[in-house]
Structures are given as structure tokens and as C-alpha cells.
Amino acid sequence: MLSVTEARERILSCFQAAEEETLPLNDCANRVLAGDVPAPHDLPLFDNSSMDGFAVRSADASLITLSVVADIPAGSVPMVTLTRGQAARIMTGAQLPNGADAVIPVEDTDFNSREAGTSAPKTVSFTKNIRSGDNVRARGVDLHAGDVVLQKGRKLKPQDLGLLAMLGFANVKVHKKPRVALLSSGDELVEVDAVLTAGKIHDSNSYALAALMQQAGAEVIRLGVAKDTRSSVEGLLQQAVAQNVDLIVTSAGVSVGAFDFIKEVIESNGRLDFWRVNMRPGKPVVFGEYNATPFIGLPGNPVSAFVGLEVFVRPTLEKLSGQLDGNRRTVNVRCDEEIESDGRESYLRARIRDENGVHFATLTGPQGSGNLLSLVQADALLIIPAGVKCVPVGQDVEAILL
Ligand code: AMP
Ligand code: MG
């Protein structure tokens, strides 16, 4: 049986980053940059004051009282050049006048009227020492024109959008969002708003899986629930292909039950690459193509489907979306209890408690693959490596934070 790592590598080798598109900055949150971004100009672009106060020449530090020759609000261009004994009232963010090389905060002067609307005084006195550069944000201290400020493959965070706006990028080249078709399968499944009659359950996988994939940056096209018949499964997969998606994701119908048609349908309408992985939960995972569209079939049990998505689909979506910094971030956690495993690579639901910088992990109770509550209660999935049958108390393992 394939290891998780081999299976993931086999999947990832079949995908590449989606094409580029240019979007208005406002639509770029969580999108992935398609190229490096060099700064078109310095930041700040001009020497400016970091305080409300008085622009001065540090050479005048010994003078104590200066005459105020200008008033410079933010956004204006100073028309004066300060000479010996002169100061200008200046607001935060306003451009420094020529001749000035420091700003005295208004708090450190004898000018007390600080309410909005007061005009500048004729003279100003101060007691504090002044050094050149005090309270001045010099041109280019943050970055210089030509510096690469954001790199290709970065998923744009809110603060990145702020920086791009500072630099005047109204439009940004990003990768297209991966498009994924999602369907559930099983005769027992009914829609979330349907009345549960005997033997039926709500289709819950499609909600958890769609949300996870959207979080990973995908556009999800929900195709509903296929019945446990060949023709129903083929009908929905055909709809998925018609939607021109990058990937089809299904849940259930991949085990060895008498009504599990997925594997057979993939085999006879495309290519089956593998259908089992040495992991728990989630051993039956199908990878292949349905009529030339890449296909990942996850198991039906809600926790198995979730884990399969996290382990195989998320990295696929990250690669498709062009993300280069998207590798799963795992942390080390210390087991609070002895953990038994069956030797497959296991993903166990655990709560994390932090103590003196150490993450301690306690399982959230029953680890049955149908028990979604224990996943809801978990902060992390512990990864017990293949071949390990027992993890003693106090041992560290890797974990995916949820
Ligand atoms: P299967 O893989 O079809 O054998 O299904 C395994 C288990 O997962 C069964 O108990 C199913 O009822 C359950 N299951 C399958 N699909 C879903 C779904 N979409 N939502 C919730 N439970 C599901
Ligand atoms: Mg089924």
C-alpha cells in the first residue's frame, strides 16, 4: 500500500499553478501573486513628520525660542526654507520644509493650544534637546524603489493589500482560483433541510469539505448527492466535467461495499492511479482521472473525509493556486497520555494545552471515523508515523493545528 507521502507526491506531480489574471486590488485578498512585486518608488516618498509639532533645524538647539514662519498641514507642500532661528508648525505625515532636519513634538514646547482649529503661534520655545532626525520619517527608510516587497507565490494577506495600495498598485497579477466540483454519494443521504425518514442521514460532508476548500482558496461548485448506482455517479461526474473544473472531489462510495461504484466508474471512464493509502482514518482514497479531469475520491465517514481533504486536497489546491509558501505548518506537541496505533500513519484528534511554551496534547475521546464531535472539539490532528504502535506519555509528535 502507498504511504501518505508517496500518495501525496503522486497527486501533486499531476498539477501545476493555474493561469494568471489581473484583478482590482480590492478582489485580491487571499489570492496568490503570479510574479514578484518590485516597489515603483521609495517609502516614504518624502521626508515627513512622525508627530504633530514644530519642524526645526537641529543646529538651532541652543536657541530655546524660535520664530514660527509657516504652518504645514498634512498633504500640503511647504513653501518655506527654514533659516537660523526659524521653525514651522507641522502635522503628522506632512512633508518637512527645506532646511529642517528634526521635529519637536508639541508636548515638548510651550505651545499649549492643541485643539483643532487653533492657528500657529508667532514663536515657540522648548526645553528638550534636539538631534538631527528626531521624529522625522526619512525618504526611503522603509523601502527603496526596486526592492522586491512581495514575492511570487505569496498568498496575499490584508497587510499585503495595504502595502500594495501604498505603492499605488490598483491592479495585481494573481493566479486564477482553482475550481473544484464537489459531490457526495450514498442512498442514505438527504439534503440538510430535508426531513429525516427512517435510515436516512443529512449530507454533512459536502458542507465541511466545501468550507475547507474555500478556505484553501478554491471556488467550489457543489453538485449535490449521487445515488449508489453507476448511472447516478456517472451523471454527476459528467456534470462536473462539463463545468470545466481543475479537480473533482467526491466523498463515499470508495470502499469495498456492494454499492461502492466510484472506483469502478473511474476505472472505466478514465484512469485509476491508486485507491488505497496506508493511513488511518481514510485508507480508501481514490486518485485518478474521470474523462481527463483529475479526480480525488475521499472516504465517506466524516472524519476520514476531512482528514483526506487536509492531507491530499489542501496541498493540491495550494499548488493549483500557485502558492509557494503553502506547505503545511506543523508543530511539535507532547503527548499527555499513551497513544496506541495500528501501524498505519494515523491522524488523531487532540486538544492542545500550552504550558511554559510546550504544547501538551490530549485526545478528544472516541476516535471513530464517524465521530465528528471529537473533531469539532479538537485543536489539532496528531500525526502518528507509520510503523509506530505505541507513543508513550511525554513523547513529542508532529501535529497539524486546525
Ligand atoms: P461509504 O464510504 O459510502 O461506505 O460511507 C461510509 C460512511 O460514511 C457511512 O456511514 C455513510 O453513511 C457515511 N457518509 C457517507 N457520505 C456521507 C456524507 N456526505 N455525509 C455524512 N456521512 C456520510
Ligand atoms: Mg456509501
PDB file of all heavy atoms in Angstrom, residues 183-186 188-189 201-206 225 228 251-257 259-260 284 298-302 370, ligand 1:
ATOM      1  N   LEU A 183     -18.977  16.495  -4.925  1.00  0.00           N
ATOM      2  CA  LEU A 183     -20.224  15.752  -4.796  1.00  0.00           C
ATOM      3  C   LEU A 183     -20.128  14.685  -3.725  1.00  0.00           C
ATOM      4  O   LEU A 183     -19.053  14.176  -3.415  1.00  0.00           O
ATOM      5  CB  LEU A 183     -20.669  15.152  -6.131  1.00  0.00           C
ATOM      6  CG  LEU A 183     -19.739  14.222  -6.861  1.00  0.00           C
ATOM      7  CD1 LEU A 183     -20.303  12.811  -6.839  1.00  0.00           C
ATOM      8  CD2 LEU A 183     -19.606  14.690  -8.296  1.00  0.00           C
ATOM      9  N   SER A 184     -21.270  14.402  -3.138  1.00  0.00           N
ATOM     10  CA  SER A 184     -21.374  13.346  -2.135  1.00  0.00           C
ATOM     11  C   SER A 184     -22.018  12.150  -2.807  1.00  0.00           C
ATOM     12  O   SER A 184     -22.587  12.277  -3.896  1.00  0.00           O
ATOM     13  CB  SER A 184     -22.274  13.809  -0.985  1.00  0.00           C
ATOM     14  OG  SER A 184     -21.749  14.973  -0.400  1.00  0.00           O
ATOM     15  N   SER A 185     -21.928  10.998  -2.173  1.00  0.00           N
ATOM     16  CA  SER A 185     -22.635   9.853  -2.743  1.00  0.00           C
ATOM     17  C   SER A 185     -23.153   8.950  -1.647  1.00  0.00           C
ATOM     18  O   SER A 185     -22.520   8.782  -0.603  1.00  0.00           O
ATOM     19  CB  SER A 185     -21.720   9.082  -3.702  1.00  0.00           C
ATOM     20  OG  SER A 185     -20.710   8.416  -2.979  1.00  0.00           O
ATOM     21  N   GLY A 186     -24.310   8.405  -1.864  1.00  0.00           N
ATOM     22  CA  GLY A 186     -24.901   7.459  -0.910  1.00  0.00           C
ATOM     23  C   GLY A 186     -26.415   7.573  -0.881  1.00  0.00           C
ATOM     24  O   GLY A 186     -26.952   8.674  -0.812  1.00  0.00           O
ATOM     25  N   GLU A 188     -28.284   6.845   1.463  1.00  0.00           N
ATOM     26  CA  GLU A 188     -28.781   7.238   2.782  1.00  0.00           C
ATOM     27  C   GLU A 188     -28.791   8.750   2.968  1.00  0.00           C
ATOM     28  O   GLU A 188     -29.325   9.247   3.952  1.00  0.00           O
ATOM     29  CB  GLU A 188     -27.920   6.585   3.880  1.00  0.00           C
ATOM     30  CG  GLU A 188     -26.508   7.160   4.080  1.00  0.00           C
ATOM     31  CD  GLU A 188     -25.461   6.672   3.075  1.00  0.00           C
ATOM     32  OE1 GLU A 188     -25.830   6.377   1.919  1.00  0.00           O
ATOM     33  OE2 GLU A 188     -24.274   6.612   3.432  1.00  0.00           O
ATOM     34  N   LEU A 189     -28.194   9.488   2.022  1.00  0.00           N
ATOM     35  CA  LEU A 189     -28.012  10.928   2.232  1.00  0.00           C
ATOM     36  C   LEU A 189     -29.197  11.739   1.733  1.00  0.00           C
ATOM     37  O   LEU A 189     -29.695  11.516   0.628  1.00  0.00           O
ATOM     38  CB  LEU A 189     -26.751  11.404   1.510  1.00  0.00           C
ATOM     39  CG  LEU A 189     -25.459  10.682   1.876  1.00  0.00           C
ATOM     40  CD1 LEU A 189     -24.301  11.218   1.040  1.00  0.00           C
ATOM     41  CD2 LEU A 189     -25.156  10.831   3.363  1.00  0.00           C
ATOM     42  N   ILE A 201     -29.678   9.984   6.667  1.00  0.00           N
ATOM     43  CA  ILE A 201     -28.884  10.991   7.407  1.00  0.00           C
ATOM     44  C   ILE A 201     -28.669  12.205   6.495  1.00  0.00           C
ATOM     45  O   ILE A 201     -28.800  12.098   5.278  1.00  0.00           O
ATOM     46  CB  ILE A 201     -27.502  10.445   7.855  1.00  0.00           C
ATOM     47  CG1 ILE A 201     -26.662  10.035   6.638  1.00  0.00           C
ATOM     48  CG2 ILE A 201     -27.656   9.274   8.818  1.00  0.00           C
ATOM     49  CD1 ILE A 201     -25.213   9.690   6.972  1.00  0.00           C
ATOM     50  N   HIS A 202     -28.356  13.344   7.102  1.00  0.00           N
ATOM     51  CA  HIS A 202     -28.072  14.526   6.291  1.00  0.00           C
ATOM     52  C   HIS A 202     -26.694  14.400   5.652  1.00  0.00           C
ATOM     53  O   HIS A 202     -25.772  13.858   6.259  1.00  0.00           O
ATOM     54  CB  HIS A 202     -28.090  15.786   7.167  1.00  0.00           C
ATOM     55  CG  HIS A 202     -29.433  16.121   7.718  1.00  0.00           C
ATOM     56  ND1 HIS A 202     -30.526  16.394   6.916  1.00  0.00           N
ATOM     57  CD2 HIS A 202     -29.871  16.234   8.993  1.00  0.00           C
ATOM     58  CE1 HIS A 202     -31.567  16.666   7.675  1.00  0.00           C
ATOM     59  NE2 HIS A 202     -31.208  16.562   8.945  1.00  0.00           N
ATOM     60  N   ASP A 203     -26.572  14.917   4.463  1.00  0.00           N
ATOM     61  CA  ASP A 203     -25.260  15.014   3.820  1.00  0.00           C
ATOM     62  C   ASP A 203     -24.474  16.103   4.549  1.00  0.00           C
ATOM     63  O   ASP A 203     -24.727  17.289   4.358  1.00  0.00           O
ATOM     64  CB  ASP A 203     -25.443  15.386   2.338  1.00  0.00           C
ATOM     65  CG  ASP A 203     -24.165  15.944   1.732  1.00  0.00           C
ATOM     66  OD1 ASP A 203     -23.068  15.604   2.234  1.00  0.00           O
ATOM     67  OD2 ASP A 203     -24.261  16.724   0.762  1.00  0.00           O
ATOM     68  N   SER A 204     -23.553  15.699   5.400  1.00  0.00           N
ATOM     69  CA  SER A 204     -22.775  16.700   6.139  1.00  0.00           C
ATOM     70  C   SER A 204     -21.404  16.921   5.506  1.00  0.00           C
ATOM     71  O   SER A 204     -20.829  18.009   5.600  1.00  0.00           O
ATOM     72  CB  SER A 204     -22.605  16.278   7.605  1.00  0.00           C
ATOM     73  OG  SER A 204     -21.953  15.031   7.691  1.00  0.00           O
ATOM     74  N   ASN A 205     -20.884  15.910   4.830  1.00  0.00           N
ATOM     75  CA  ASN A 205     -19.530  16.048   4.275  1.00  0.00           C
ATOM     76  C   ASN A 205     -19.407  17.245   3.345  1.00  0.00           C
ATOM     77  O   ASN A 205     -18.412  17.974   3.391  1.00  0.00           O
ATOM     78  CB  ASN A 205     -19.143  14.796   3.476  1.00  0.00           C
ATOM     79  CG  ASN A 205     -18.789  13.635   4.382  1.00  0.00           C
ATOM     80  OD1 ASN A 205     -18.628  13.819   5.583  1.00  0.00           O
ATOM     81  ND2 ASN A 205     -18.687  12.447   3.813  1.00  0.00           N
ATOM     82  N   SER A 206     -20.424  17.441   2.510  1.00  0.00           N
ATOM     83  CA  SER A 206     -20.239  18.473   1.488  1.00  0.00           C
ATOM     84  C   SER A 206     -20.091  19.845   2.135  1.00  0.00           C
ATOM     85  O   SER A 206     -19.435  20.723   1.574  1.00  0.00           O
ATOM     86  CB  SER A 206     -21.372  18.454   0.470  1.00  0.00           C
ATOM     87  OG  SER A 206     -22.568  18.841   1.088  1.00  0.00           O
ATOM     88  N   VAL A 225     -25.818  15.237  -4.362  1.00  0.00           N
ATOM     89  CA  VAL A 225     -25.613  13.857  -3.905  1.00  0.00           C
ATOM     90  C   VAL A 225     -25.924  12.865  -5.022  1.00  0.00           C
ATOM     91  O   VAL A 225     -27.005  12.918  -5.622  1.00  0.00           O
ATOM     92  CB  VAL A 225     -26.544  13.559  -2.704  1.00  0.00           C
ATOM     93  CG1 VAL A 225     -26.346  12.127  -2.220  1.00  0.00           C
ATOM     94  CG2 VAL A 225     -26.272  14.544  -1.563  1.00  0.00           C
ATOM     95  N   ASP A 228     -26.411   5.565  -5.065  1.00  0.00           N
ATOM     96  CA  ASP A 228     -25.465   4.451  -5.165  1.00  0.00           C
ATOM     97  C   ASP A 228     -25.754   3.602  -6.399  1.00  0.00           C
ATOM     98  O   ASP A 228     -25.962   2.384  -6.309  1.00  0.00           O
ATOM     99  CB  ASP A 228     -25.548   3.585  -3.893  1.00  0.00           C
ATOM    100  CG  ASP A 228     -24.799   4.232  -2.734  1.00  0.00           C
ATOM    101  OD1 ASP A 228     -23.760   4.885  -2.975  1.00  0.00           O
ATOM    102  OD2 ASP A 228     -25.248   4.100  -1.585  1.00  0.00           O
ATOM    103  N   SER A 251     -17.045  12.318  -1.949  1.00  0.00           N
ATOM    104  CA  SER A 251     -16.888  11.548  -0.718  1.00  0.00           C
ATOM    105  C   SER A 251     -17.795  10.340  -0.773  1.00  0.00           C
ATOM    106  O   SER A 251     -18.874  10.381  -1.348  1.00  0.00           O
ATOM    107  CB  SER A 251     -17.175  12.399   0.524  1.00  0.00           C
ATOM    108  OG  SER A 251     -18.534  12.738   0.609  1.00  0.00           O
ATOM    109  N   ALA A 252     -17.314   9.261  -0.165  1.00  0.00           N
ATOM    110  CA  ALA A 252     -18.002   7.973  -0.013  1.00  0.00           C
ATOM    111  C   ALA A 252     -17.998   7.152  -1.299  1.00  0.00           C
ATOM    112  O   ALA A 252     -17.595   7.619  -2.367  1.00  0.00           O
ATOM    113  CB  ALA A 252     -19.418   8.158   0.500  1.00  0.00           C
ATOM    114  N   GLY A 253     -18.433   5.928  -1.137  1.00  0.00           N
ATOM    115  CA  GLY A 253     -18.531   5.029  -2.282  1.00  0.00           C
ATOM    116  C   GLY A 253     -17.201   4.507  -2.799  1.00  0.00           C
ATOM    117  O   GLY A 253     -17.112   4.019  -3.923  1.00  0.00           O
ATOM    118  N   VAL A 254     -16.155   4.606  -1.966  1.00  0.00           N
ATOM    119  CA  VAL A 254     -14.842   4.148  -2.444  1.00  0.00           C
ATOM    120  C   VAL A 254     -14.336   2.918  -1.689  1.00  0.00           C
ATOM    121  O   VAL A 254     -13.218   2.480  -1.890  1.00  0.00           O
ATOM    122  CB  VAL A 254     -13.768   5.266  -2.334  1.00  0.00           C
ATOM    123  CG1 VAL A 254     -13.997   6.317  -3.398  1.00  0.00           C
ATOM    124  CG2 VAL A 254     -13.763   5.905  -0.964  1.00  0.00           C
ATOM    125  N   SER A 255     -15.173   2.373  -0.782  1.00  0.00           N
ATOM    126  CA  SER A 255     -14.716   1.187  -0.051  1.00  0.00           C
ATOM    127  C   SER A 255     -15.005  -0.053  -0.886  1.00  0.00           C
ATOM    128  O   SER A 255     -15.120   0.032  -2.103  1.00  0.00           O
ATOM    129  CB  SER A 255     -15.430   1.093   1.300  1.00  0.00           C
ATOM    130  OG  SER A 255     -15.441   2.339   1.924  1.00  0.00           O
ATOM    131  N   VAL A 256     -15.132  -1.155  -0.199  1.00  0.00           N
ATOM    132  CA  VAL A 256     -15.344  -2.407  -0.931  1.00  0.00           C
ATOM    133  C   VAL A 256     -16.763  -2.907  -0.723  1.00  0.00           C
ATOM    134  O   VAL A 256     -17.046  -4.088  -0.864  1.00  0.00           O
ATOM    135  CB  VAL A 256     -14.309  -3.472  -0.502  1.00  0.00           C
ATOM    136  CG1 VAL A 256     -12.942  -3.111  -1.050  1.00  0.00           C
ATOM    137  CG2 VAL A 256     -14.241  -3.575   1.024  1.00  0.00           C
ATOM    138  N   GLY A 257     -17.685  -1.972  -0.394  1.00  0.00           N
ATOM    139  CA  GLY A 257     -19.093  -2.342  -0.223  1.00  0.00           C
ATOM    140  C   GLY A 257     -19.727  -2.709  -1.562  1.00  0.00           C
ATOM    141  O   GLY A 257     -19.219  -2.341  -2.624  1.00  0.00           O
ATOM    142  N   PHE A 259     -22.196  -1.542  -2.903  1.00  0.00           N
ATOM    143  CA  PHE A 259     -22.769  -0.412  -3.644  1.00  0.00           C
ATOM    144  C   PHE A 259     -21.764   0.713  -3.851  1.00  0.00           C
ATOM    145  O   PHE A 259     -22.127   1.848  -4.112  1.00  0.00           O
ATOM    146  CB  PHE A 259     -24.015   0.105  -2.917  1.00  0.00           C
ATOM    147  CG  PHE A 259     -25.088  -0.943  -2.814  1.00  0.00           C
ATOM    148  CD1 PHE A 259     -25.180  -1.769  -1.694  1.00  0.00           C
ATOM    149  CD2 PHE A 259     -25.975  -1.136  -3.865  1.00  0.00           C
ATOM    150  CE1 PHE A 259     -26.135  -2.747  -1.618  1.00  0.00           C
ATOM    151  CE2 PHE A 259     -26.949  -2.125  -3.795  1.00  0.00           C
ATOM    152  CZ  PHE A 259     -27.024  -2.938  -2.664  1.00  0.00           C
ATOM    153  N   ASP A 260     -20.489   0.397  -3.693  1.00  0.00           N
ATOM    154  CA  ASP A 260     -19.449   1.407  -3.849  1.00  0.00           C
ATOM    155  C   ASP A 260     -18.960   1.434  -5.298  1.00  0.00           C
ATOM    156  O   ASP A 260     -18.103   0.656  -5.698  1.00  0.00           O
ATOM    157  CB  ASP A 260     -18.284   1.125  -2.875  1.00  0.00           C
ATOM    158  CG  ASP A 260     -18.711   1.347  -1.428  1.00  0.00           C
ATOM    159  OD1 ASP A 260     -19.682   2.111  -1.208  1.00  0.00           O
ATOM    160  OD2 ASP A 260     -18.079   0.765  -0.526  1.00  0.00           O
ATOM    161  N   PRO A 284      -9.285   4.193   2.267  1.00  0.00           N
ATOM    162  CA  PRO A 284      -9.704   4.186   0.860  1.00  0.00           C
ATOM    163  C   PRO A 284      -9.744   5.598   0.286  1.00  0.00           C
ATOM    164  O   PRO A 284     -10.669   6.353   0.550  1.00  0.00           O
ATOM    165  CB  PRO A 284     -11.118   3.565   0.897  1.00  0.00           C
ATOM    166  CG  PRO A 284     -11.574   3.653   2.303  1.00  0.00           C
ATOM    167  CD  PRO A 284     -10.430   4.047   3.185  1.00  0.00           C
ATOM    168  N   LEU A 298     -12.667  10.754  -1.761  1.00  0.00           N
ATOM    169  CA  LEU A 298     -12.401  10.582  -0.328  1.00  0.00           C
ATOM    170  C   LEU A 298     -13.385   9.586   0.253  1.00  0.00           C
ATOM    171  O   LEU A 298     -14.469   9.382  -0.290  1.00  0.00           O
ATOM    172  CB  LEU A 298     -12.553  11.933   0.386  1.00  0.00           C
ATOM    173  CG  LEU A 298     -11.643  13.048  -0.125  1.00  0.00           C
ATOM    174  CD1 LEU A 298     -12.053  14.389   0.488  1.00  0.00           C
ATOM    175  CD2 LEU A 298     -10.187  12.733   0.192  1.00  0.00           C
ATOM    176  N   PRO A 299     -13.031   8.977   1.390  1.00  0.00           N
ATOM    177  CA  PRO A 299     -13.962   8.061   2.039  1.00  0.00           C
ATOM    178  C   PRO A 299     -15.192   8.809   2.556  1.00  0.00           C
ATOM    179  O   PRO A 299     -15.200  10.044   2.612  1.00  0.00           O
ATOM    180  CB  PRO A 299     -13.167   7.486   3.202  1.00  0.00           C
ATOM    181  CG  PRO A 299     -11.809   8.056   3.139  1.00  0.00           C
ATOM    182  CD  PRO A 299     -11.772   9.131   2.113  1.00  0.00           C
ATOM    183  N   GLY A 300     -16.210   8.059   2.960  1.00  0.00           N
ATOM    184  CA  GLY A 300     -17.479   8.680   3.344  1.00  0.00           C
ATOM    185  C   GLY A 300     -17.554   9.122   4.792  1.00  0.00           C
ATOM    186  O   GLY A 300     -18.208  10.122   5.123  1.00  0.00           O
ATOM    187  N   ASN A 301     -16.896   8.379   5.672  1.00  0.00           N
ATOM    188  CA  ASN A 301     -17.005   8.759   7.081  1.00  0.00           C
ATOM    189  C   ASN A 301     -16.509  10.186   7.270  1.00  0.00           C
ATOM    190  O   ASN A 301     -15.451  10.563   6.748  1.00  0.00           O
ATOM    191  CB  ASN A 301     -16.187   7.796   7.944  1.00  0.00           C
ATOM    192  CG  ASN A 301     -16.993   6.560   8.270  1.00  0.00           C
ATOM    193  OD1 ASN A 301     -18.109   6.673   8.791  1.00  0.00           O
ATOM    194  ND2 ASN A 301     -16.460   5.398   7.951  1.00  0.00           N
ATOM    195  N   PRO A 302     -17.278  10.987   8.000  1.00  0.00           N
ATOM    196  CA  PRO A 302     -16.974  12.425   8.051  1.00  0.00           C
ATOM    197  C   PRO A 302     -15.555  12.771   8.485  1.00  0.00           C
ATOM    198  O   PRO A 302     -14.943  13.684   7.913  1.00  0.00           O
ATOM    199  CB  PRO A 302     -18.011  12.950   9.055  1.00  0.00           C
ATOM    200  CG  PRO A 302     -19.182  12.032   8.867  1.00  0.00           C
ATOM    201  CD  PRO A 302     -18.574  10.674   8.617  1.00  0.00           C
ATOM    202  N   GLY A 370     -16.519   8.110  12.309  1.00  0.00           N
ATOM    203  CA  GLY A 370     -17.813   8.750  12.101  1.00  0.00           C
ATOM    204  C   GLY A 370     -18.094   9.815  13.148  1.00  0.00           C
ATOM    205  O   GLY A 370     -19.098  10.530  13.069  1.00  0.00           O
TER     206      GLY A 370
HETATM  207  P1  AMP B   1     -19.175   4.722   2.410  1.00  0.00           P
HETATM  208  O1  AMP B   1     -17.812   5.197   2.121  1.00  0.00           O
HETATM  209  O2  AMP B   1     -20.127   5.003   1.299  1.00  0.00           O
HETATM  210  O3  AMP B   1     -19.180   3.287   2.822  1.00  0.00           O
HETATM  211  O4  AMP B   1     -19.699   5.528   3.662  1.00  0.00           O
HETATM  212  C1  AMP B   1     -19.062   5.390   4.917  1.00  0.00           C
HETATM  213  C2  AMP B   1     -19.869   6.077   5.990  1.00  0.00           C
HETATM  214  O5  AMP B   1     -19.896   7.457   5.767  1.00  0.00           O
HETATM  215  C3  AMP B   1     -21.328   5.665   6.056  1.00  0.00           C
HETATM  216  O6  AMP B   1     -21.704   5.583   7.400  1.00  0.00           O
HETATM  217  C4  AMP B   1     -22.024   6.790   5.367  1.00  0.00           C
HETATM  218  O7  AMP B   1     -23.378   6.915   5.764  1.00  0.00           O
HETATM  219  C5  AMP B   1     -21.209   7.964   5.793  1.00  0.00           C
HETATM  220  N1  AMP B   1     -21.318   9.039   4.816  1.00  0.00           N
HETATM  221  C6  AMP B   1     -21.102   8.916   3.506  1.00  0.00           C
HETATM  222  N2  AMP B   1     -21.268  10.101   2.885  1.00  0.00           N
HETATM  223  C7  AMP B   1     -21.615  10.977   3.820  1.00  0.00           C
HETATM  224  C8  AMP B   1     -21.911  12.368   3.778  1.00  0.00           C
HETATM  225  N3  AMP B   1     -21.897  13.057   2.647  1.00  0.00           N
HETATM  226  N4  AMP B   1     -22.229  12.978   4.943  1.00  0.00           N
HETATM  227  C9  AMP B   1     -22.230  12.273   6.093  1.00  0.00           C
HETATM  228  N5  AMP B   1     -21.950  10.982   6.200  1.00  0.00           N
HETATM  229  C10 AMP B   1     -21.633  10.315   5.068  1.00  0.00           C
END
